[in-house]
Amino acid sequence: MQRRNLLKLLALAGIGAGTGAATAAMPQGAAKPAARKPIVLYCDLAIDPAREAEMLDHFHRRFRPAAESYRGRGFLDLKMLKLRNVIQGGPAPAPGINYRFQLTYESEEQRQVWAGSDLHQQVWPLIENTVLNRDYLVLLTDAV
């Protein structure tokens, strides 16, 4: 009985299976299309401390607006994270790594379109030119 009450509560809140126009339009017994999970790309960057303000200015004024122009074409989110400290576990990022760049896209294919665009070719070097070591770690992950 608790399950039934929980399902009613979820339905009232608009949460759970069976909500939304797309679900209502599906024939009974039809399989729901599998939802694609986004990808997240991480770059661990050693930004030259003398050029940190320059990098942040380029990121906020040029790179972010350019990346956000791809909203609706797969772009979901973008962050530049400054490493504060390692709280637990290891190994720590390589010496000198002081930023983690994080880019989220609906799919790797859509991210590749952005990465190959003329706009990306114009704005990424503004960030990359402030990096001390261009052999930085790049991780491609799947959201699960």
Side-chain angles (χ1 to χ4, degrees):
M1 193 58 141
Q2 287 179 339
R3 181 175 181 266
R4 179 174 290 157
N5 290 336
L6 179 61
L7 290 174
K8 285 180 186 177
L9 181 63
L10 290 174
L12 286 173
I15 303 170
T19 62
T23 303
M26 291 176 57
Q28 186 146 4
K32 292 181 187 176
R36 286 189 84 173
K37 307 263 184 184
I39 60 94
V40 182
L41 181 99
Y42 297 99
C43 299
D44 286 352
L45 305 173
I47 301 297
D48 181 349
R51 299 185 72 188
E52 185 176 350
E54 175 188 352
M55 182 279 292
L56 290 171
D57 184 64
H58 288 316
F59 177 77
H60 290 293
R61 293 179 185 263
R62 300 283 307 277
F63 192 88
R64 176 181 287 287
E68 288 176 342
S69 74
Y70 273 67
R71 197 171 298 281
R73 294 183 276 174
F75 172 86
L76 295 175
D77 190 36
L78 172 66
K79 292 182 176 119
M80 183 67 77
L81 308 166
K82 185 169 184 175
L83 179 63
R84 181 184 293 187
N85 59 22
V86 176
I87 295 176
Q88 180 177 329
I97 300 298
N98 51 2
Y99 279 88
R100 176 167 281 177
F101 172 86
Q102 176 184 316
L103 178 67
T104 307
Y105 253 80
E106 290 177 10
S107 72
E108 172 58 5
E109 295 78 18
Q110 290 170 311
R111 188 194 69 80
Q112 286 292 329
V113 170
W114 156 246
S117 72
D118 289 340
L119 185 54
H120 182 272
Q121 302 307 313
Q122 293 169 17
V123 295
W124 179 248
L126 299 173
I127 306 295
E128 194 172 52
N129 288 339
T130 65
V131 174
L132 293 170
N133 179 356
R134 291 195 182 190
D135 188 26
Y136 46 84
L137 178 67
V138 179
L139 300 171
L140 180 62
T141 65
D142 293 312
V144 293

